[in-house]
């Protein structure tokens, strides 16, 4: 009789993840494995910055919740640790969880709004797995920004999705009521002259 013996999946702690060296990679945990992806390009960073700044200004003005960047860790229901490019969590959820502005731990769940900006090293399969994690862990809306096509895939679940082209607008819907951001503005660099 033979018995299959598989090594148990490593369970990472926040302390272990925080202790990882700054080595030019972004770190996440997926199925117990440390996943490292290279830092992103200038264009990717500019898109993230534009959207993050607009969301932060709107959220702060209307006191709606917290806007976070890709350095923030989120514990998924399956113990994967994800770090979307841009995230939003409404104050009602933060209050319900007793999560304070100065918390020194990763967020217990996915953000309500998760934003991913595709880069050349992302595969569609990888994005689909990320979306599955997000929606199983509390995400209500995800925006998948496709820079090469200059469009955004707006996702309400892993399967309920729609494409919005450069003439469209990102809408905060019920999470950020009144927030509107022209998609074309994600990809247009203002003149430095």
């Amino acid at each position: 009789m033979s018995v299959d013996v598989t090594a148990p999946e490593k369970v990472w702690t926040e302390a272990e993840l925080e202790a990882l060296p700054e080595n030019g990679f972004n770190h996440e945990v997926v199925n117990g494995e440390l996943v490292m992806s290279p830092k992103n390009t200038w264009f990717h960073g500019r898109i993230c910055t534009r959207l993050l700044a607009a969301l932060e200004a709107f959220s702060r003005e209307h006191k709606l919740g917290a806007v976070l960047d890709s350095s923030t860790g989120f514990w998924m229901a399956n113990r994967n640790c994800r770090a979307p490019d841009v995230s939003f969590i409404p104050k009602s959820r933060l209050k319900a969880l007793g999560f304070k502005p100065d918390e020194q731990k990763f967020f217990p769940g996915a953000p309500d709004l998760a934003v991913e900006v595709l880069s050349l090293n992302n595969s569609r399969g990888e994005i689909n797995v990320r979306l599955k994690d997000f929606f199983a862990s509390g995400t209500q809306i995800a925006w998948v920004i496709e820079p090469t096509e200059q469009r955004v895939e707006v996702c309400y679940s892993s399967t309920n999705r729609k494409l919005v082209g450069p003439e469209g607008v990102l809408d905060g819907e019920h999470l950020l009521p009144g927030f509107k951001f022209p998609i074309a503005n994600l990809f247009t660099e203002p003149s430095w002259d």
Side-chain angles (χ1 to χ4, degrees):
M1 173 173 159
S2 69
V3 177
D4 282 338
V5 178
T6 57
E9 190 175 282
K10 172 153 175 56
V11 178
W12 286 81
T13 66
E14 288 184 31
E16 289 173 315
L17 290 171
E18 289 174 351
L20 291 171
E22 286 297 325
N23 57 2
F25 290 90
N26 293 321
H27 301 98
E28 292 186 322
V29 174
V30 180
N31 301 325
E33 297 290 325
L34 183 64
V35 176
M36 299 186 308
S37 55
K39 298 288 185 188
N40 288 302
T41 65
W42 170 273
F43 190 46
H44 184 280
R46 294 294 296 146
I47 292 168
C48 290
T49 300
R50 285 184 194 114
L51 185 56
L52 188 130
L55 286 167
E56 173 65 15
F58 187 86
S59 178
R60 184 177 288 250
E61 178 183 349
H62 299 285
K63 300 179 181 173
L64 297 174
V67 177
L68 303 148
D69 70 4
S70 63
S71 66
T72 306
F74 292 87
W75 285 118
M76 302 292 106
N78 60 7
R79 280 307 277 177
N80 285 348
C81 184
R82 298 289 190 178
D85 288 317
V86 179
S87 306
F88 171 75
I89 305 165
K91 71 178 175 185
S92 59
R93 185 171 175 211
L94 294 166
K95 286 182 177 183
L97 290 170
F99 213 77
K100 306 282 186 229
D102 60 351
E103 289 286 351
Q104 297 296 312
K105 58 185 181 181
F106 294 174
F107 190 78
D112 294 70
L113 171 66
V115 181
E116 292 289 351
V117 180
L118 297 182
S119 60
L120 296 177
N121 59 349
N122 292 127
S123 70
R124 179 46 67 179
E126 175 200 354
I127 292 299
N128 289 340
V129 170
R130 293 175 77 77
L131 289 173
K132 187 176 178 181
D133 275 1
F134 292 152
F135 286 110
S137 304
T139 293
Q140 297 180 46
I141 301 172
W143 295 337
V144 180
I145 299 171
E146 301 178 12
T148 56
E149 303 295 328
Q150 295 196 355
R151 64 185 182 192
V152 177
E153 188 175 20
V154 178
C155 309
Y156 300 100
S157 72
S158 296
T159 57
N160 181 7
R161 307 175 187 192
K162 67 179 180 181
L163 282 176
V164 183
E167 69 287 343
V169 173
L170 288 173
D171 186 328
E173 301 186 35
H174 65 284
L175 294 176
L176 294 134
F179 178 80
K180 306 276 189 213
F181 191 87
I183 291 173
N185 289 0
L186 291 170
F187 313 109
T188 305
E189 190 67 51
S191 172
W192 290 350
D193 294 329

